Amino acid sequence: MLAAVVTEFGGPERVELARVPVPRPAAGQVRVRVRAAGVNPVDGAVRAGVFGGAGQRIGLGWDVAGEIDAVGAEVAGWAVGQQVVGLHYGAVKPAGTHAQYVVLDATAIAAAPSTVDEVSAAALPLSGLTAARAVEQLGLAPGSSVLVTGAAGVVGGLAVQLAARAGLVVTALAGAADEDFVRSLGAAAFVPRGAAGAGPVDGVLDAAVLGEPALGFVRDGGVYVGLIPNHAPAAERGIRVLEQEVAPDGALLARLVSLVDAGELTLRVADTFPLADAAKAHDRLAVPGTRGRVVLTVA
């Protein structure tokens, strides 16, 4: 099969197509015929060598939408032909979802949304799971105040929607031109990027990875949740400083799919590219201010 890989670290030009063996599902796994796959910032980081793996062929891609085409032993509830979405966790792996086929643990998939196409569905797994886990990690009761930084981004926008749905009073921090958009997602208040008056709030969900400046918006004894492991600021003033790391979770993904199908969670796609143009998709990923997920399509 064809797969997008890197064998040397660097810019988008390092992304190449390679012929690699079609994977076979082991016990507890399914093989998915890929139809669409999100291109996430983590893919750019893998390509640049942030996670190591020098000298290896590293497959790219975490998100997938497609149909099951093979089922391993000891898998119940899934059958060939079912449309699914899933998360293929791991930075350094021989092949990812930017390929014609991918093998996933059966516990990492969910039935695909019925109300959106495969391209939009491919924007859900990594970003949706990241946002949902971060909102849960805040641990705030309904009526509590939360600031979401990077609220107009893919993860931030999902976090705004999920936090508002959980009954939190959301303040969105984003670019000045994004106020109407983030309010449409459920933000009760808006603070333009660079402004000083965004606190104090009970918690911050730091989708923009601002770090210490975002911590300054949290009240004494509040909570800060960062989205990148080992990048959180030092705790102060009794603030709980937490870090969220995404993980495959088919049950949580299924709940997010149900919200999509109920019209309660909006997915955004900025651009699409065929798998053959994976390097161009990485170029597009680097464009500042992209509003929506870049998605690869696989024929």
Side-chain angles (χ1 to χ4, degrees):
M1 69 173 184
L2 291 175
V5 304
V6 292
T7 56
E8 296 182 52
F9 298 137
E13 74 282 355
R14 295 300 186 188
V15 179
E16 59 184 271
L17 284 187
R19 289 206 167 272
V20 301
V22 175
R24 295 184 178 182
Q29 295 182 321
V30 300
R31 185 171 65 204
V32 176
R33 174 69 169 91
V34 180
R35 296 303 181 186
V39 183
N40 292 275
V42 68
D43 294 305
V46 170
R47 184 201 72 226
V50 170
F51 299 99
Q56 302 179 42
R57 184 190 69 208
I58 303 173
L60 301 168
W62 296 51
D63 289 322
V64 63
E67 68 266 0
I68 296 174
D69 94 315
V71 177
E74 302 173 18
V75 172
W78 297 107
V80 171
Q82 285 183 283
Q83 302 295 310
V84 296
V85 290
L87 179 71
H88 189 18
Y89 178 86
V92 181
K93 51 200 177 191
T97 63
H98 297 172
Q100 292 175 303
Y101 297 89
V102 65
V103 164
L104 301 174
D105 290 342
T107 55
I109 62 173
S114 61
T115 57
V116 299
D117 62 16
E118 292 161 327
V119 170
S120 293
L124 176 64
L126 180 56
S127 297
L129 289 171
T130 298
R133 288 165 62 91
V135 170
E136 290 178 356
Q137 199 165 14
L138 285 167
L140 295 173
S144 301
S145 58
V146 62
L147 173 73
V148 177
T149 70
V154 177
V155 174
L158 291 170
V160 169
Q161 296 175 75
L162 293 169
R165 189 177 182 278
L168 303 180
V169 180
V170 179
T171 296
L173 191 156
D178 293 313
E179 179 174 2
D180 289 345
F181 171 68
V182 295
R183 286 187 182 275
S184 76
L185 298 179
F190 174 78
V191 176
R193 188 167 48 239
V201 292
D202 296 316
V204 163
L205 193 159
D206 192 13
V209 198
L210 300 181
E212 189 172 343
L215 192 70
F217 300 132
V218 184
R219 65 165 173 81
D220 294 357
V223 58
Y224 167 99
V225 175
L227 302 187
I228 300 180
N230 304 315
H231 280 73
E236 61 180 52
R237 298 182 286 112
I239 296 170
R240 291 184 298 125
V241 174
L242 308 172
E243 295 177 314
Q244 187 280 145
E245 182 170 2
V246 74
D249 188 335
L252 178 55
L253 187 54
R255 295 199 292 274
L256 295 173
V257 167
S258 69
L259 293 178
V260 172
D261 282 340
E264 298 179 20
L265 197 61
T266 300
L267 302 174
R268 292 177 290 155
V269 174
D271 212 343
T272 62
F273 295 85
L275 177 62
D277 288 338
K280 293 181 180 178
H282 277 248
D283 273 325
R284 181 68 174 86
L285 181 69
V287 175
T290 297
R291 295 291 181 256
R293 182 60 63 226
V294 176
V295 176
L296 291 175
T297 57
V298 184

